[in-house]
Amino acid sequence: FIINQAEDSSGYTWYRLLTTYRVGWVRGDLLTQTSKKGEGIFQFLKLSGTTHINPVEVNEKILKEQGILEGKAEAFIAGAEQYNINEFFLISLALHESGNGSSELATGVKVNGQTVYNMYGIGADDDDPINKGAQYAYDHGWTTPELAIIGGAEFVSNGYINNPNHQQDTIYKMRWNPANPGVHQYATDIGWASK
């Protein structure tokens, strides 16, 4: 964010910038401006607590045409309220991890003759994501999309956001775990927190 600007004696315009990490001055001809203001700031949003969103509005404006997630605002709200998590985070996580409600895990995989769902990619290890993610869903009884949404909320809350030992209550902390780097990270994708 540009918070100030000045011109020096040589005619250069200098901008005082506020970034995610610091405040500083940059000469204007060395600066490339984008239209994306605040990109990445939500990775530092505290995720515990609910926002009391309107389910009708969420279904119409966010989940419309989002595959199997369409019309599921009530399940996200129930999971958020039950496990003290931000509803928008849960929705964003499910949209990201399920390819906007269209991934194989999200739309259902048969395990032992039972169709199971996994909206957040939980247990979907990189070496065999479909089978391992489906087995995790089967082991936890996620036999409907709603059970998968609420069950995933429990996993994220108990394991990360509201876990008294890890206290990973931001997306950044879930990915990088600055208190113990390299240990207990939600995702392997290095760009996950900013995505």
Side-chain angles (χ1 to χ4, degrees):
F1 297 99
I2 298 171
I3 56 176
N4 200 352
Q5 72 181 62
E7 191 170 307
D8 68 14
S9 60
S10 300
Y12 288 108
T13 301
W14 287 76
Y15 297 95
R16 187 167 191 216
L17 304 177
L18 169 65
T19 69
T20 304
Y21 303 104
R22 60 186 64 143
V23 174
W25 288 91
V26 177
R27 201 171 72 193
D29 62 318
L30 303 175
L31 180 65
T32 301
Q33 294 185 34
T34 67
S35 60
K36 295 181 180 179
K37 294 183 178 179
E39 183 177 13
I41 62 172
F42 292 113
Q43 66 184 309
F44 303 104
L45 177 70
K46 189 166 178 155
L47 301 175
S48 58
T50 60
T51 59
H52 309 292
I53 60 176
N54 179 329
V56 174
E57 188 174 11
V58 170
N59 282 330
E60 289 174 0
K61 295 182 179 178
I62 299 172
L63 296 175
K64 187 173 185 175
E65 298 179 14
Q66 298 302 316
I68 199 156
L69 301 176
E70 184 169 4
K72 302 289 189 276
E74 291 285 353
F76 286 107
I77 292 168
E81 289 177 352
Q82 190 170 351
Y83 297 106
N84 192 35
I85 300 179
N86 181 296
E87 300 93 324
F88 288 112
F89 164 70
L90 285 178
I91 293 167
S92 296
L93 181 61
L95 287 168
H96 175 74
E97 296 291 344
S98 73
N100 296 322
S102 66
S103 74
E104 188 174 350
L105 281 173
T107 57
V109 175
K110 285 211 182 265
V111 177
N112 296 329
Q114 179 74 53
T115 301
V116 294
Y117 304 86
N118 189 331
M119 303 305 170
Y120 306 102
I122 297 168
D125 293 339
D126 290 343
D127 63 329
D128 190 5
I130 302 302
N131 289 323
K132 288 185 176 181
Q135 187 63 51
Y136 189 95
Y138 179 81
D139 292 344
H140 290 83
W142 298 349
T143 55
T144 67
E146 292 81 3
L147 288 172
I149 290 168
I150 295 168
E154 178 183 19
F155 173 87
V156 174
S157 176
N158 293 344
Y160 296 86
I161 296 170
N162 295 300
N163 183 298
N165 296 323
H166 297 292
Q167 299 177 352
Q168 292 169 280
D169 60 353
T170 69
I171 296 170
Y172 182 84
K173 288 179 184 177
M174 288 175 69
R175 171 57 187 103
W176 296 108
N177 193 10
N180 193 5
V183 177
H184 200 259
Q185 298 171 325
Y186 187 85
T188 55
D189 176 3
I190 61 168
W192 183 81
S194 61
K195 290 177 182 177

